Amino acid sequence: QLDAEDVYAYGCQLASLHDLHFIGVDFADLMVSGDEDDAKVGKIYRTMAKLAKVTKVPVILLSQLNREYVGGVPRITNLRYSGLAEAMGALILMLYNPRQIWAKMGSDDRLPLTEGRGYIIVGKSRYGYREGGIGAIQVEWDGLHSWGNQSYGYRDLS
């Protein structure tokens, strides 16, 4: 198990030797030793943000939803340690497939269930929004294994 400093050192080393497209971490909670708390997770988020800045390589840090999430369209506040993620993240994307939610569904017709499709929700972007604001990109999804290459437009969620 690697901690945040190990990932930082290894990421810096790899970035100096190779032309990386991104550094992926699956997932943040696995870098915490012992009990999780805001301070430990905050250190992880800050270290990964520093890694991205120093190497000039995007760092993709996967997170899970918190226990308060009961279904429906996920929001940033549904992420574990969402305040830290929102403060430190430059871009927050959430994958959402309405067919895969087994918990109580919330009612939100803005992202309807469409056979063979799912959504990439753009929850935050420090880089601006091409389509005007917070929203979701509808994309191909086979329901089991893979997201496709075809997109079907942007849906405003603001």
Side-chain angles (χ1 to χ4, degrees):
Q1 175 178 334
L2 300 176
D3 64 17
E5 280 76 27
D6 294 333
V7 172
Y8 178 85
Y10 189 56
C12 286
Q13 180 183 21
L14 284 175
S16 70
L17 298 172
H18 305 284
D19 183 24
L20 301 178
H21 296 284
F22 70 91
I23 297 169
V25 178
D26 181 16
F27 70 114
D29 294 13
L30 293 178
M31 289 191 279
V32 176
S33 59
D35 293 334
E36 285 182 26
D37 60 35
D38 284 352
K40 289 179 182 178
V41 176
K43 182 178 180 184
I44 291 167
Y45 284 6
R46 283 189 301 280
T47 304
M48 295 303 103
K50 181 180 172 186
L51 175 60
K53 188 173 185 173
V54 167
T55 61
K56 295 181 176 40
V57 175
V59 174
I60 299 173
L61 180 62
L62 299 183
S63 181
Q64 63 185 9
L65 299 174
N66 61 32
R67 294 194 183 276
E68 287 80 39
Y69 176 72
V70 292
V73 178
R75 289 162 175 71
I76 291 175
T77 56
N78 298 127
L79 294 173
R80 287 185 58 142
Y81 299 100
S82 60
L84 295 168
E86 191 170 357
M88 299 305 299
L91 181 66
I92 297 177
L93 301 176
M94 296 176 285
L95 302 179
Y96 173 58
N97 181 359
R99 296 188 66 76
Q100 300 302 108
I101 302 298
W102 293 95
K104 176 184 169 202
M105 294 295 292
S107 60
D108 193 331
D109 295 330
R110 295 177 296 175
L111 300 181
L113 171 63
T114 304
E115 190 65 36
R117 299 182 186 174
Y119 297 92
I120 300 173
I121 298 170
V122 182
K124 175 189 175 182
S125 175
R126 287 195 180 147
Y127 309 109
Y129 297 91
R130 181 175 176 201
E131 300 292 333
I134 303 292
I137 305 160
Q138 190 177 49
V139 295
E140 285 181 313
W141 167 247
D142 71 6
L144 297 172
H145 302 102
S146 64
W147 295 88
N149 294 325
Q150 180 66 39
S151 67
Y152 298 95
Y154 193 82
R155 297 172 183 263
D156 190 331
L157 294 175
S158 50

